[in-house]
Amino acid sequence: MKWTSFWKWSALALSVAALVAVGCAKKQTVKSEGAEGAPGAPAVSEPSVKEAPPAPMEVAPAPQPAPGVAVTEERRSQFDDVLFDFDRSELREDGRRTCEAVADYLTKNPQAKILIEGHCDERGTAEYNLALGERRATAVMSYLVSLGVPRAALSTISFGEERPLDPGHDEAAWAKNRRAHFVLR
């Protein structure tokens, strides 16, 4: 009877140990369910980070050139440019007034010398515009000489269409580019 009781208690102890072992194993599984990255664990989504769109850059408007100041490499002038009509080299009334101011300055400053640059808009061939620019510069020089300015104080050069004051491609830009520009030396 003792042996039978021993085996019963031993079987009962083994069964309890097996149940405890299985029960503990389940508990470990339950503990790992909430762990991040465990198999079967619900995916944990990170809060999405939305990038803010880049702030628009503020661009300062380009400064507007003062009268007689070129946007290109042209040197500044204290005199306004003499403007011309399309395909013309005759002085207009406003151009004559500008020339009178230049002549007055040269009369008061006999040591001063002026270079007269002839310019054209972009229409026409390069050769034609060089010749037209020269005619414009020569017309201004001739008028200054007629006002009493010594010819030795004046010189001319033509840039044709090569140095536009306004790089635009419309009538407003072309009107600015048809000019004679004064460079005080």
Side-chain angles (χ1 to χ4, degrees):
M1 176 96 178
K2 275 192 171 184
W3 276 109
T4 307
S5 176
F6 173 77
W7 286 110
K8 283 183 185 176
W9 283 106
S10 294
L12 181 63
L14 284 174
S15 297
V16 169
L19 287 174
V20 169
V22 171
C24 288
K26 284 185 179 177
K27 283 184 181 177
Q28 288 176 349
T29 303
V30 170
K31 283 183 184 176
S32 65
E33 282 181 4
E36 197 172 303
V44 177
S45 64
E46 294 181 20
S48 63
V49 178
K50 294 182 179 178
E51 290 186 28
M57 295 180 56
E58 291 186 29
V59 178
Q64 294 297 317
V69 177
V71 173
T72 58
E73 301 169 9
E74 196 171 74
R75 287 188 260 171
R76 291 179 167 253
S77 175
Q78 67 186 73
F79 307 107
D80 290 339
D81 288 342
V82 174
L83 300 178
F84 292 89
D85 293 328
F86 173 69
D87 200 26
R88 308 293 296 201
S89 59
E90 293 84 24
L91 290 175
R92 301 185 319 203
E93 187 57 36
D94 58 337
R96 287 190 182 97
R97 284 193 301 271
T98 300
C99 288
E100 290 166 5
V102 172
D104 184 54
Y105 176 84
L106 290 174
T107 302
K108 293 176 182 172
N109 300 284
Q111 76 285 357
K113 297 189 182 300
I114 287 195
L115 171 66
I116 305 163
E117 299 176 346
H119 297 270
C120 300
D121 63 37
E122 64 188 0
R123 297 174 288 180
T125 65
E127 295 82 17
Y128 180 81
N129 286 334
L130 279 173
L132 181 58
E134 183 61 34
R135 287 196 309 270
R136 289 174 175 168
T138 301
V140 169
M141 184 174 75
S142 297
Y143 189 67
L144 289 172
V145 170
S146 74
L147 294 174
V149 175
R151 187 177 288 271
L154 305 170
S155 59
T156 62
I157 187 169
S158 175
F159 289 108
E161 65 187 63
E162 297 303 317
R163 293 186 177 184
L165 179 63
D166 188 329
H169 305 287
D170 56 14
E171 184 55 44
W174 296 331
K176 294 176 192 171
N177 295 331
R178 296 188 301 259
R179 70 198 198 291
H181 180 74
F182 298 101
V183 177
L184 189 61
R185 296 178 148 196

